[in-house]
Amino acid sequence: MSSDDAKAVARRALALLDLTDLSETCTPAAIDRLCARAVTPYGAVAAVCLYPRFVAQAKRVLAGTGVRIATVVNFPAGGEDTAAVLEETARAIEDGADEIDHVLAWRAFLEGRPGFAETQVARVKAVTAGRAKLKVILETGEIVDPDKIRAATEIAIAAGADFVKTSTGKVKVNATLEAARIMLEVIAATGRGDVGFKPAGGIRTVEDAAAYLGLADQIMGSGWARPSTFRFGASGVLDALIATLEDRVDDGGTGY
């Protein structure tokens, strides 16, 4: 990739980034640092993504910047206590969350209870409708089978997902181009250009970003991937993007 091409990818990817801190040891001070990084000399990221307990803090810190506040529910396990998930979702929205990243009940799905998983998503959608975007995390690295990844994507979209997201970043295998292709193909098959896609986990370099954007351009068209339809879930990649824009060398860092 030429320097000019890399810079073009970096500019594009920065505006599509959900800058993330979902570390178990996250503190209010870490959230302040995350929010400070969200607005760069090259523009702001799309959103910050953090645990529900930090939503109100981030909302205050980022007021007026245009950066959206995303949080996670049913995270990371994708459990079956729907009442607790609904309560967590409602509270996060009241605290100021603009986007809810909900983990599909993927174990129930794999156990042959897709209806449970779909109903849970639909009930979360009823809480978020008109108030926050709903991103449904499939945990594709645990589902593994391509046909099942396809079916899980279809279920999530049918239940009202505004985005489908690959992974929590908390399992051994997270975002892959193979899973991304399947999920994008399902979105394309719906004929709905408004359903978004978010690869998450293990995206650390400009080359990683370029690969996912190239795939989205190939399947959905070159004008489709924008903040309303495409996000990267990552923390370490921001340093790599900025280094590229500043003609510095950076290994992309580590992280979600």
Side-chain angles (χ1 to χ4, degrees), residues 17-141:
L17 181 60
D18 283 3
L19 185 62
T20 301
D21 190 338
L22 293 170
S23 59
E24 288 76 7
T25 56
C26 188
T27 64
I31 294 302
D32 282 342
R33 291 192 294 272
L34 185 80
C35 292
R37 296 177 66 214
V39 181
T40 83
Y42 308 97
V45 302
V48 294
C49 186
L50 32 75
Y51 283 115
R53 64 184 179 274
F54 298 119
V55 166
Q57 175 188 348
K59 193 73 171 181
R60 289 192 302 272
V61 174
L62 289 169
T65 64
V67 177
R68 297 171 68 83
I69 311 301
T71 194
V72 290
V73 301
N74 209 26
F75 187 94
E80 299 186 24
D81 188 344
T82 300
V85 175
L86 298 177
E87 181 180 352
E88 185 177 36
T89 301
R91 187 182 310 116
I93 294 172
E94 289 166 7
D95 284 347
D98 302 298
E99 301 175 0
I100 300 294
D101 288 29
H102 162 76
V103 184
L104 183 81
W106 57 269
R107 289 181 183 83
F109 169 77
L110 289 178
E111 290 167 1
R113 295 182 288 133
F116 178 90
E118 184 171 2
T119 297
Q120 188 183 74
V121 173
R123 293 187 67 185
V124 174
K125 176 65 175 184
V127 177
T128 64
R131 304 171 70 196
K133 277 191 177 292
L134 174 60
K135 305 193 198 88
V136 177
I137 306 170
L138 305 185
E139 204 69 292
T140 54

